[in-house]
Amino acid sequence: MARDLTMIALYVEGFLIAQPVGWPLAADPLLRGGGGGPIGMLARTSPTPHTTRVSAMPDKQTVVIADASPTFRALLRQEFDPARYEIHEAGDGEEAIRLAKALSPSLITLSVAMPKLDGLAACAAITAAKESETTTVVMITSSESPQDQLRAFEAGAMRFLDKQFERGELGAYATDILRMKETLHGAQVLVVDDSRFVRTTVSQLLQMEGAVVAEACHGKEALELMAAKNFDVVVTDYHMPEMDGLALVRNITKCSEYEGIPVLFVTAANDKRLAMRALDAGASDFIRKPFEGAELLARIRSFARLSHATKRLQELATTDELTGLFNRREAFYRLGRCFATAERYATPFSCIAIDVDHFKRFNDDHGHAAGDLVLSETARLLKENSRVSDDVFRVGGEEFLVLCAETNLDGASTCAEKLRAALEDYRFEFQGRPLKVTISAGVAEYGSDIPDADRILALADAALYESKRLGRNRVTRSDGASVAVTV
């Protein structure tokens, strides 16, 4: 049977921690380091794979079986479905290291007793190598000594099996590795705790399932990271300097930019009132110290799925289906935000209203499929020829809008003329027939005399209509000037 549930105890930063054999111990510097404050330790009740592959899963996963006995290697081979796994064998520790570096296997089994180099030394070398950083190592031995098991986990092994393990147990574990590594694969998780030991331990647990983890030692640092990067889940402790976990939750909740990001709040074992305060402040759930690593992973997996689903719904709600651009709803939201920023900080911003010239003709003469082609290609050209800082929207049938943050009227007019020229120069074609597509544009800039966002949009629309009145395929500014006149 597996021996990964044997418990040992450690004192870290003055707190008694439940540490199951089956969970790799952090290095001594981490045990000595870290800030104060209560920490709960991760006890594990189910194996956690050490795999963070980013590439798509191949048809077969590579497994290396290392044991001095050909007979026992043959028995281990029977644990793996040949349709799903490509099996390689090694008869000693040195050969196991060579295969691990050459193949970067998903899983490698190492017997402790092997010639040339024993399994523990081979395990340490394999887990330290960059080529096998995504490899899960399972140690197999007939020893029941807790000291041997501890040495195996310190060397980097993720599972410790007795040679008398039940038939199918190793194969089931391998299957779990493949299944579990997809759950948190690529998920962005922020871990916030003033204890370096806890941050590192939780991070390692998540990284072993493929999550991308960032760490912060207090709430203020967490908010700085969140301002620079999008996260799927936040895990935060309560007791921290600078800004505690409760204040962090409140700051996350009140910011619309972080809407939909689940927050898992970590509390002391018997502090029910604090847990309720955290939930009232906006935390998605809480977990009590000391907690089990399996429970932590289960909650974060659930939150990651929820976060991805929420983001997908937000994307559907703000994206135009035909063109892939932001839709009208998102345009007015961002226009209002740009206006508020410009009004508060006295910074410029401009908007460009765009209309496809004579669009109805494409539908009438060639059918709606041609019209859809014109719209989708126009959207692509507008996006490709706008600046990275510009936002492009489809706000109506053949109507588009471009928001130019921190850009005055001259700068936005230059951008609009670039877009007009790109459309005029592009060769549109539908079912082998050329289509002549041009756009008209109107440009307006925010000013202190403009009372609200609707007014600047009305000015841009008025300039657009002037472009049409003057013959189309041109850009007109809200001050009445034409940027380009094309006959």
Side-chain angles (χ1 to χ4, degrees):
M1 294 293 294
R3 304 295 183 182
D4 60 342
L5 301 183
T6 305
M7 302 295 292
I8 62 174
L10 292 176
Y11 279 93
V12 179
E13 300 175 355
F15 292 87
L16 180 64
I17 297 170
Q19 174 78 20
V21 175
W23 170 250
L25 297 180
D28 286 345
L30 293 180
L31 291 173
R32 292 192 296 268
I39 64 174
M41 191 46 211
L42 312 160
R44 199 178 82 195
T45 58
S46 63
T48 302
H50 178 43
T51 173
T52 56
R53 288 186 186 272
V54 177
S55 59
M57 261 197 239
D59 292 336
K60 287 188 178 183
Q61 294 294 307
T62 303
V63 173
V64 173
I65 295 172
D67 190 277
S69 168
T71 302
F72 190 69
R73 293 201 303 269
L75 290 174
L76 292 178
R77 179 184 281 271
Q78 293 177 11
E79 288 286 303
F80 300 96
D81 181 357
R84 300 183 60 188
Y85 301 98
E86 181 179 299
I87 309 298
H88 298 263
E89 296 184 14
D92 57 67
E94 291 183 355
E95 188 177 5
I97 294 172
R98 180 182 61 79
L99 289 175
K101 290 183 177 181
L103 302 174
S104 297
S106 298
L107 177 72
I108 182 168
T109 69
L110 296 172
S111 293
V112 172
M114 289 193 294
K116 295 187 178 179
L117 196 67
D118 66 37
L120 293 173
C123 180
I126 290 169
T127 55
K130 184 177 181 180
E131 296 88 346
S132 50
E133 61 183 2
T134 64
T135 299
T136 299
V137 178
V138 177
M139 297 297 300
I140 300 178
T141 181
S142 56
S143 172
E144 297 184 3
S145 166
Q147 288 74 23
D148 287 345
Q149 297 178 36
L150 182 58
R151 289 171 59 202
F153 293 119
E154 288 177 330
M158 285 302 300
R159 188 76 184 268
F160 192 95
L161 291 179
D162 191 297
K163 282 197 172 184
Q164 303 300 318
F165 64 84
E166 293 181 357
R167 182 177 177 83
E169 185 175 359
L170 180 59
Y173 180 60
T175 300
D176 286 343
I177 291 173
L178 302 183
R179 176 182 55 81
M180 294 171 66
K181 79 175 183 179
E182 291 183 318
T183 308
L184 282 176
H185 173 73
Q188 303 284 335
V189 182
L190 176 59
V191 177
V192 191
D193 199 298
D194 63 330
S195 165
R196 183 185 174 197
F197 175 81
V198 172
R199 291 197 312 271
T200 302
T201 307
V202 174
S203 295
Q204 288 177 348
L205 179 65
L206 292 167
Q207 288 165 349
M208 288 169 187
E209 289 215 352
V212 179
V213 184
E215 299 178 12
C217 60
H218 51 70
K220 286 186 177 180
E221 185 180 5
L223 291 176
E224 291 173 0
L225 290 173
M226 293 183 72
K229 186 176 182 180
N230 294 322
F231 289 96
D232 297 308
V233 182
V234 176
V235 182
T236 182
D237 190 22
Y238 172 56
H239 294 286
M240 296 182 292
E242 301 288 333
M243 179 188 291
D244 64 32
L246 201 57
L248 172 61
V249 171
R250 292 192 180 109
N251 275 275
I252 292 174
T253 303
K254 72 181 182 181
C255 182
S256 60
E257 293 294 316
Y258 307 141
E259 184 178 359
I261 300 178
V263 179
L264 179 60
F265 195 82
V266 182
T267 72
N270 297 314
D271 200 341
K272 295 181 179 179
R273 294 179 62 185
L274 177 59
M276 289 187 289
R277 289 171 62 196
L279 292 174
D280 288 340
S284 305
D285 198 358
F286 64 91
I287 188 170
R288 301 186 188 282
K289 296 177 179 178
F291 50 81
E292 296 179 350
E295 181 185 3
L296 178 71
L297 286 174
R299 290 174 187 259
I300 295 178
R301 287 190 205 107
S302 177
F303 287 146
R305 288 191 293 268
L306 175 62
S307 181
H308 293 157
T310 301
K311 288 180 179 179
R312 178 56 181 158
L313 289 174
Q314 290 174 338
E315 181 182 329
L316 291 173
T318 60
T319 303
D320 176 63
E321 183 178 4
L322 175 63
T323 64
L325 298 179
F326 291 124
N327 61 17
R328 182 182 183 87
R329 175 184 178 183
E330 186 69 4
F332 281 97
Y333 168 74
R334 297 200 181 201
L335 177 62
R337 192 172 61 180
C338 278
F339 185 88
T341 300
E343 189 175 44
R344 179 174 182 180
Y345 298 106
T347 55
F349 91 91
S350 300
C351 63
I352 306 170
I354 297 172
D355 208 43
V356 178
D357 295 330
H358 302 297
F359 176 72
K360 188 173 182 296
R361 294 180 184 175
F362 300 114
N363 285 332
D364 292 344
D365 297 344
H366 305 283
H368 289 284
D372 288 349
L373 171 73
V374 169
L375 290 174
S376 59
E377 285 295 278
T378 296
R380 180 181 63 81
L381 290 168
L382 293 177
K383 188 67 176 176
E384 289 179 355
N385 289 277
S386 61
R387 303 171 303 178
V388 175
S389 58
D390 297 336
D391 288 330
V392 185
F393 310 85
R394 182 189 177 199
V395 293
E398 69 271 24
E399 301 168 5
F400 298 86
L401 179 70
V402 181
L403 294 184
C404 305
E406 299 186 7
T407 306
N408 60 21
L409 188 62
D410 290 337
S413 298
T414 300
C415 293
E417 171 56 20
K418 179 182 178 182
L419 298 176
R420 185 205 66 78
L423 267 293
E424 183 182 41
D425 294 341
Y426 184 73
R427 179 181 173 83
F428 284 78
E429 190 175 281
F430 176 71
Q431 295 180 349
R433 291 172 290 179
L435 301 175
K436 182 60 177 177
V437 180
T438 61
I439 59 172
S440 297
V443 187
E445 177 188 9
Y446 163 79
S448 58
D449 59 332
I450 296 179
D452 52 43
D454 290 340
R455 178 58 181 165
I456 188 173
L457 192 58
L459 291 172
D461 281 337
L464 167 61
Y465 290 132
E466 183 65 10
S467 288
K468 291 183 176 182
R469 190 187 70 80
L470 293 173
R472 293 182 169 82
N473 190 24
R474 68 189 65 221
V475 175
T476 303
R477 298 158 47 124
S478 58
D479 60 6
S482 289
V483 178
V485 177
T486 305
V487 179

